[in-house]
Amino acid sequence: MAYQNAYGRVGGRGLRPWLLLPKVFAVGVYFGALVATTVIWFVQVNAPSMMRLTPGGGIEQVSFMFRFVIVPALLGTAAMGVMLFIQHPRVFSRLRWWQVKAGMLVLGVPTAHFFVSSRLAALRQAELAHTPNPHAQWQFSAGLLVLIAASMCIIALGRLKPRLGQNWARVYSKMHGHPQGDQTQPTRG
């Protein structure tokens, strides 16, 4: 008697499972490193000078985390996301949650990159000149917190996939040539 898989996962889903796993891993590394970097930054900035890990308030640690952990994880997430999108571009491009997520990423990633890198450069120059720059410290601290909040929103959009007022059945049926997506519901007479 041969075993028949009645409840397990059926093969044939293509590359999607193989792309989702590394994407989830990369998102976890990105967000975890971002939170860890923020904690390191706030501990270094607020700690008395004798308790700091390095002089200068941890600028080099934060810079290292961005260059070698956060940005590569973000690039890996983006690469997996693009490959997932390419599998069903017509479907994804019509979903409101995906449109909002893509818009936030297109606007947010370059903005965050230029803001964070400019504030780190200002802090590094102040450290080399041995003159504190509290304005740049405050801006960088606020930028990290905004970056965490925006990342949480983008991750939640991708995970929860809210409707955002969209009737997905109607959109899907129009894409696949069905006359109306909601004709299966009884009409009120």
Side-chain angles (χ1 to χ4, degrees):
M1 185 165 108
Y3 172 77
Q4 186 174 7
N5 183 2
Y7 304 106
R9 183 171 291 218
V10 178
R13 292 187 64 209
L15 287 175
R16 186 169 173 78
W18 299 103
L19 296 173
L20 280 174
L21 187 61
K23 183 178 179 192
V24 168
F25 177 74
V27 168
V29 170
Y30 162 77
F31 193 71
L34 184 61
V35 170
T37 302
T38 304
V39 169
I40 288 169
W41 173 253
F42 278 102
V43 166
Q44 290 284 38
V45 167
N46 295 319
S49 59
M50 67 184 89
M51 294 178 64
R52 290 186 184 159
L53 297 174
T54 61
I59 295 167
E60 290 308 314
Q61 288 100 343
V62 168
S63 180
F64 178 85
M65 290 292 284
F66 269 99
R67 274 187 278 148
F68 297 108
V69 183
I70 295 172
V71 170
L74 183 60
L75 292 175
T77 300
M80 296 299 137
V82 167
M83 286 191 264
L84 284 165
F85 174 77
I86 288 172
Q87 289 185 335
H88 305 286
R90 287 182 55 209
V91 174
F92 281 117
S93 62
R94 296 192 181 187
L95 295 171
R96 285 191 189 147
W97 69 264
W98 188 88
Q99 293 169 352
V100 170
K101 180 181 172 180
M104 288 178 74
L105 287 169
V106 165
L107 294 174
V109 170
T111 303
H113 169 72
F114 289 120
F115 181 80
V116 166
S117 62
S118 70
R119 297 302 83 206
L120 269 176
L123 289 168
R124 193 172 281 120
Q125 287 175 353
E127 182 182 7
L128 291 173
H130 300 292
T131 58
N133 189 344
H135 188 65
Q137 270 187 347
W138 183 87
Q139 287 177 336
F140 186 72
S141 299
L144 284 175
L145 295 176
V146 168
L147 188 56
I148 287 176
S151 296
M152 285 173 53
C153 289
I154 291 169
I155 291 168
L157 273 173
R159 176 65 186 112
L160 300 177
K161 298 167 183 55
R163 292 184 190 169
L164 302 176
Q166 183 179 38
N167 183 344
W168 167 239
R170 186 174 295 147
V171 172
Y172 186 80
S173 66
K174 285 180 184 178
M175 283 179 12
H176 292 287
H178 302 292
Q180 279 293 336
D182 52 354
Q183 282 187 354
T184 57
Q185 297 175 355
T187 58
R188 295 181 193 174

